[in-house]
Every structure is written in structure tokens, then in C-alpha cells.
Amino acid sequence: MSFKDVMEIKKILPHRYPFLLIDRILELDIENLRVKALKNVTVNEEFFNGHFPDFPVMPGVLIIEAMAQAGAYLMIEKAKAEGVEGDFTVLFAGIDSAKFRKPVVPGDQIIFEIEGINIKKSMGKIKGVAKVDGNVVCEAVLMAALKKS
């Protein structure tokens, strides 16, 4: 599959500025329950004004949220591939084993590698890994519920 830009992502995910945290879908493999997404981290991100002015670090919860958005994209596309029609929202149901390995700073490009562990029609469990320059910066197992909008 060729990449999907942010305009294509907005057709699937309900998130909007300032909370849409993925810029591009690089790969999507519904059959094997995998998605790879990208986030360009710029100094212009609003959260850097307070986290932290003299040492800007992307908040870990936003890295997890971006990971969840990539997983949500996978879950919604899977549902659509199975013939489920309509618009969807994916809601957090749980976070396990979250680990933060390195800070993410302005200028970094995060690659999210998401693997579906168990995705059913209305619930899903994914394993996510976030990398910058090939180095793991965050990893977590996330659970989510798929809700028709």
C-alpha cells in the first residue's frame, strides 16, 4: 500500500488539531494486523511551551496517544475491510507495560510500529513500539473499544 497523508488519515480518524498526532501512514497490512505511522515533531508544537521551555520534551502521554491513533487507524480499516459501514471512534480501554526509553525532542521523527495482538469487531489489543532514528523511545500494550459514531 502506498502511504496515506494527513488528509487521508482525517477521512478515517475523528481527531483534529491540536490532537491529531500522526502525520502519515507508511504501511498498512490488515491481513497481518500491522500498521506503520509517522509523526514529525516540530518546535512549533503547542505542548513545548510548557513541557519544558528550556528543555523541550514531548510528553510521554502524547507519544502513547499517537501510538493509539495509529492502532485506531488499523482497527477502523480492519472493520471497514470486513464490511462494517459507518464512522467510528476508538476509545482507550487500557494501557499495559508502557515504558519510555529516551526523550523525544523537536526535530525528531517518530516511527510507530503497531501490531494487532487480538482485534475483534468491537475490541482490540495492540502492541506498539515508537522509534526515533531506529532507537526505541517508547513501547506499550494498548486496549481499545471501537464505537460507531
Side-chain angles (χ1 to χ4, degrees):
M1 173 201 108
S2 61
F3 79 86
K4 300 289 184 188
D5 66 18
V6 73
M7 298 310 287
E8 292 292 319
I9 293 167
K10 288 168 67 172
K11 291 178 183 175
I12 302 299
L13 294 181
H15 304 79
R16 295 296 180 264
Y17 176 84
F19 222 67
L20 180 58
L21 297 172
I22 55 175
D23 297 321
R24 186 174 283 180
I25 298 295
L26 300 172
E27 298 173 16
L28 177 64
D29 182 349
I30 295 171
E31 184 177 324
N32 293 305
L33 300 177
R34 295 180 188 273
V35 65
K36 187 184 282 190
L38 172 146
K39 163 75 176 149
N40 290 305
V41 181
T42 74
V43 73
N44 297 319
E45 309 278 357
E46 187 65 30
F47 52 78
F48 286 135
N49 287 327
H51 199 268
F52 303 97
D54 294 328
F55 180 63
V57 176
M58 184 173 181
V61 295
L62 295 181
I63 297 170
I64 295 285
E65 173 62 27
M67 190 180 294
Q69 288 178 18
Y73 188 93
L74 173 63
M75 288 179 68
I76 292 169
E77 287 287 55
K78 180 180 183 293
K80 288 181 181 282
E82 292 173 348
V84 181
E85 295 181 15
D87 294 324
F88 301 91
T89 300
V90 181
L91 304 170
F92 262 126
I95 303 170
D96 287 331
S97 307
K99 294 181 177 70
F100 301 95
R101 306 286 185 200
K102 294 183 175 195
V104 175
V105 298
D108 284 346
Q109 186 176 73
I110 309 172
I111 302 295
F112 298 98
E113 297 173 353
I114 308 300
E115 176 183 349
I117 297 171
N118 188 10
I119 298 177
K120 302 292 185 193
K121 286 191 186 263
S122 63
M123 291 294 294
K125 186 174 187 177
I126 63 163
K127 178 181 180 197
V129 176
K131 296 179 179 179
V132 172
D133 296 329
N135 298 308
V136 174
V137 295
C138 177
E139 54 192 317
V141 174
L142 309 173
M143 284 77 58
L146 188 65
K147 178 184 175 301
K148 278 189 119 176
S149 301

